Amino acid sequence: MSTPFPFTAVVGQDDLRLALLLNAVSPAVGGVLVRGEKGTAKSTAVRALSALLPEVAVVAGCRFSCDPAAPDPSCPDGPHEPAPGTARPARMVELPVGASEDRLVGALDIERALAEGVKAFEPGLLADAHRGILYVDEVNLLHDHLVDLLLDAAAMGASYVEREGVSVRHAARFLLVGTMNPEEGELRPQLLDRFGLTVEVAASREPDQRVEVVRRRLAYDDDPAGFAARWADEEAAVRQRIVVARELLAQVRLGDGALRQIAATCAAFEVDGMRADIVMARTATALAAWAGRTDVLAEDVRQAALLALPHRRRRNPFDAPGLDEDKLDETLEEFSGESPEDDPDPDGPGGGGGRPQPDSGPQGGGDASARPETGEDGEPQASGSAREQSAVRAAEPFRTKALSVPGIGEGAAGRRSRARTEHGRTTGSRRPRGALTKLHLAATVQAAAPYQRARGRSGPGLVIRRDDLRQATREGREGNLVLFVVDASGSMAARQRMGAVKGAVLSLLLDAYQRRDKVGLVTFRGSAADVALPPTSSVDAAAVRLESLPTGGRTPLAAGLLKAHEVLRVERLRDPARRALVVVVTDGRATGGPEPVALAGRAARLFAAEGVASVVVDCESGPVRLELAGQLAGELGGTAVTLDELRADSIAGLVRDVQGTSRRAA
């Protein structure tokens, strides 16, 4: 077994280490979500924590790690007779991003259950993690239904497996730790709320600290065992402190004054629901125990707020996480009953070092003053050439109509287009390919019924063979790749007009976030097109690029379409199951170069020939309309909607499906 990097040797990251230790003291806090850029010791710190946890006593031979002092009465390996048990180190179990539901919660042998009436259960990772740590790296990339199962088990302390009326329950209490890079996509707000604490981590900008990080890492890589031995005393001290804090936890008193501060803080920051209040109370109690005290102080409440509230204040993925510390201090002072001079030091022993940064406000923007002179075609004119304009702010986003790809796909789970999925309504049956996961009971019985006499059936049960089993086919929803192709030319450059266009794209980005899509952004202006954002799950990254998008110049529509076609070609090689939806945001003009209109038409017909679903958001305005966007939609084999029609509350209809036939439609 490899020697883990010592927890106490991690440089900096005080908030991260404190949050992990508080959960080690009190798992009821609800786990930790660690958000941060790559290379910031997220995984190193989590793996190092497992070596600090005290050993656990387990019933000998129990696959579910039952405590011999209080065995689970519902344990599938039980009932357990009184026995001393055996001690083993606390486990750290890693959940891979590509894990199946059966790998997470366990699996029932359906064939034996039907033929023999036996609950043959194979434990999953939740059983392995009981009384230890369950670690999910890149939790934001985990399928939503797995995250739901994971968080439900963490909240209830038990896992339930249901298969066609056969059920198994076992205890599943663990310290849940997830790490994620926000650049790769966000978790839904309701899932963020289920993590007790969230910590933002970033690499230090201090040269001395960075030098020390490199020095320790190189020393560890050269001699892991020797490096760990040099930190053994510090590790033992922290391990003992965890044991003492656990014993002290039951004696910590959470007074009415601290409870009022917790409630007032949650109300002041307008967090939804009551989970934040409960998590803050448990965190403040654990902080007091960790500090060796039996009373919760204002400094504990303050630190608990910094760890438990920032991620609960986000209303959409474009909000920056953080907490206004001045407002926090004012609220705590107002409900403390003490003068400012008597307040405890907020950076005292309960503090955790670096704190999340307060909201920095919306990004992007720019000077929204003087509009440049324009020619007859709407192109800005300056000394005989087009002039670039600074970026303008997007208008307020709105709820959009549902745009979907026609046909039935088989892509990643999501909420946009119809697809064959593991979850959803049952539409039929088929022979299983590999392990059976979703039994179609009626089809299985129908397949086995004609052979019962030949198989010598004599009792009431069916004689089931492997060939009789049928897998249920189900239909649900998939996430798509929504590729935005945005016209940033001079004809779109009028301030009010471009602000409305950006607001529409921002609205579609928010819709893509809610439907679990990947997004990409291609822009075109002047004489070329650029990939402003390659396909990614991070819609907030797309929003940032959109806000800072400058405009001006001619309209190389063909270049934009050809660049988008190339992006789709490459992405199809990386993720062939994910179907694409191309959203072209333009007024339909094409200028610059020889035969720009004809060239744009030929580029558009490439999409139509490959059956790529597309929609054109018509940004043309004014009393005289040339309907060029509608002509472009026809060439693409898609449909056109105006900015007004894009709104979900418009009278143009409730839902508009994208026209055209998908290349991979069933």
Side-chain angles (χ1 to χ4, degrees):
M1 181 177 179
S2 61
T3 303
F5 191 91
F7 186 85
T8 51
V10 174
V11 179
Q13 308 298 10
D14 295 331
D15 277 344
L16 169 59
R17 292 190 293 166
L18 178 64
L20 291 172
L21 290 169
L22 292 177
N23 275 270
V25 171
S26 175
V29 166
V32 185
L33 176 64
V34 186
R35 297 162 44 93
E37 58 197 25
K38 52 188 175 293
T40 50
K42 300 188 297 293
S43 300
T44 298
V46 175
R47 293 188 174 96
L49 177 68
S50 62
L52 291 179
L53 297 183
E55 289 189 335
V56 294
V58 298
V59 174
C62 178
R63 298 175 297 167
F64 301 87
S65 302
C66 279
D67 185 349
D72 180 9
S74 301
C75 177
D77 284 356
H80 298 298
E81 298 296 330
T86 60
R88 64 159 175 78
R91 292 174 180 159
M92 191 194 77
V93 177
E94 294 194 43
L95 174 62
V97 170
S100 65
E101 180 179 338
D102 286 345
R103 184 73 185 98
L104 175 63
V105 301
L108 287 169
D109 189 330
I110 299 297
E111 187 173 359
R112 290 189 64 192
L114 287 175
E116 305 173 28
V118 175
K119 290 184 180 180
F121 181 70
E122 184 66 29
L125 295 176
L126 291 179
D128 293 341
H130 180 46
R131 304 176 68 199
I133 300 174
L134 183 59
Y135 173 48
V136 190
D137 194 14
E138 298 180 320
V139 64
N140 52 323
L141 303 183
L142 198 65
H143 283 181
D144 282 355
H145 74 281
L146 291 183
V147 177
D148 289 333
L149 290 170
L150 181 64
L151 295 177
D152 284 343
M156 296 186 296
S159 174
Y160 295 84
V161 183
E162 301 280 349
R163 293 290 188 275
E164 300 295 338
V166 181
S167 62
V168 171
R169 174 210 170 275
H170 65 83
R173 293 184 295 276
F174 46 83
L175 194 168
L176 176 62
V177 182
T179 58
M180 60 174 283
N181 184 347
E183 294 177 357
E184 297 172 343
E186 286 285 356
L187 277 174
R188 305 197 314 269
Q190 58 267 44
L191 297 182
L192 275 173
D193 184 55
R194 298 290 289 276
F195 281 93
L197 309 179
T198 296
V199 178
E200 298 280 337
V201 296
S204 172
R205 299 299 184 259
E206 292 294 330
D208 290 343
Q209 194 171 76
R210 296 175 75 97
V211 166
E212 187 61 22
V213 169
V214 174
R215 181 181 291 121
R216 293 187 187 183
R217 186 69 210 190
L218 293 177
Y220 170 77
D221 291 341
D222 288 341
D223 182 11
F227 183 82
R230 292 196 292 274
W231 289 87
D233 291 344
E234 288 83 352
E235 293 282 285
V238 174
R239 188 180 299 110
Q240 181 60 29
R241 188 175 176 184
I242 292 174
V243 173
V244 172
R246 284 183 173 183
E247 295 173 351
L248 185 62
L249 187 65
Q251 305 173 37
V252 175
R253 187 181 70 89
L254 183 65
D256 288 343
L259 273 174
R260 284 181 59 81
Q261 285 184 317
I262 290 170
T265 301
C266 292
F269 286 100
E270 300 180 346
V271 296
D272 295 332
M274 295 296 298
R275 185 175 283 118
D277 303 63
I278 297 170
V279 170
M280 274 191 64
R282 290 172 174 166
T283 305
T285 303
L287 279 162
W290 178 248
R293 291 185 269 99
T294 56
D295 286 311
V296 173
L297 304 181
E299 66 192 61
D300 301 322
V301 176
R302 186 182 195 280
Q303 185 63 49
L306 292 173
L307 294 171
L309 295 189
H311 63 294
R312 291 186 164 89
R313 297 188 58 246
R314 303 188 77 191
R315 293 297 185 265
N316 65 62
F318 310 137
D319 291 339
L323 209 64
D324 185 338
E325 295 192 36
D326 290 337
K327 182 177 179 180
L328 173 61
D329 291 336
E330 290 172 3
T331 303
L332 294 176
E333 179 184 329
E334 180 181 353
F335 288 86
S336 67
E338 301 173 339
S339 64
E341 292 78 8
D342 296 330
D343 279 348
D345 179 8
D347 295 321
R355 304 170 186 141
Q357 295 299 313
D359 286 337
S360 58
Q363 300 183 13
D367 179 18
S369 59
R371 181 181 304 172
E373 297 179 2
T374 58
E376 293 181 359
D377 64 350
E379 309 283 358
Q381 302 296 318
S383 303
S385 62
R387 184 173 63 192
E388 181 179 302
Q389 293 179 259
S390 58
V392 298
R393 291 184 182 274
E396 283 297 314
F398 51 84
R399 190 167 65 90
T400 66
K401 285 187 172 66
L403 305 174
S404 63
V405 178
I408 301 179
E410 295 182 346
R415 294 181 178 81
R416 184 171 296 279
S417 305
R418 295 171 58 199
R420 299 183 187 92
T421 62
E422 288 294 318
H423 299 271
R425 63 185 182 90
T426 301
T427 58
S429 65
R430 59 172 173 80
R431 291 181 182 274
R433 303 165 189 163
L436 178 72
T437 56
K438 302 291 182 182
L439 177 74
H440 195 297
L441 184 58
T444 299
V445 172
Q446 187 176 10
Y451 306 104
Q452 295 305 295
R453 180 175 296 180
R455 294 172 182 174
R457 173 186 169 186
S458 58
L462 286 174
V463 180
I464 300 291
R465 303 282 170 81
R466 175 68 185 175
D467 289 344
D468 301 328
L469 298 178
R470 295 295 182 269
Q471 174 88 18
T473 57
R474 301 191 175 192
E475 183 178 309
R477 292 278 168 175
E478 67 177 0
N480 299 118
L481 166 60
V482 182
L483 182 61
F484 294 93
V485 186
V486 180
D487 184 349
S489 65
S491 65
M492 300 280 288
R495 296 284 172 178
Q496 186 174 1
R497 185 180 183 187
M498 198 60 196
V501 168
K502 285 188 176 182
V505 178
L506 200 63
S507 303
L508 290 167
L509 282 172
L510 184 58
D511 180 68
Y513 164 77
Q514 294 167 341
R515 298 182 187 277
R516 310 303 287 169
D517 295 316
K518 291 180 73 173
V519 297
L521 178 62
V522 173
T523 64
F524 58 94
R525 65 187 182 90
S527 59
D530 296 307
V531 181
L533 184 71
T536 176
S537 297
S538 178
V539 297
D540 51 342
V544 170
R545 304 292 173 87
L546 180 71
E547 283 284 357
S548 59
L549 177 67
T551 57
R554 294 189 175 276
T555 311
L557 177 57
L561 295 175
L562 291 173
K563 181 67 72 174
H565 186 268
E566 176 64 15
V567 170
L568 292 184
R569 185 189 68 79
V570 174
E571 190 64 18
R572 202 173 289 137
L573 297 175
R574 295 173 177 167
D575 192 357
R578 189 181 292 268
R579 298 187 295 164
L581 170 61
V582 176
V583 180
V584 185
V585 184
T586 182
D587 57 9
R589 294 173 185 251
T591 61
E595 299 184 342
V597 176
L599 187 58
R602 288 197 295 272
R605 287 191 288 274
L606 290 175
F607 292 85
E610 295 179 358
V612 178
S614 60
V615 60
V616 177
V617 179
D618 184 0
C619 302
E620 189 175 27
S621 60
V624 179
R625 301 180 62 86
L626 302 178
E627 303 294 344
L628 297 176
Q631 296 176 28
L632 175 62
E635 299 277 9
L636 288 166
T639 189
V641 294
T642 65
L643 289 175
D644 288 338
E645 291 173 342
L646 191 62
R647 294 179 178 271
D649 55 358
S650 74
I651 62 174
L654 296 179
V655 177
R656 179 184 292 269
D657 289 326
V658 178
Q659 302 298 315
T661 304
S662 173
R663 186 172 63 89
R664 288 178 295 278

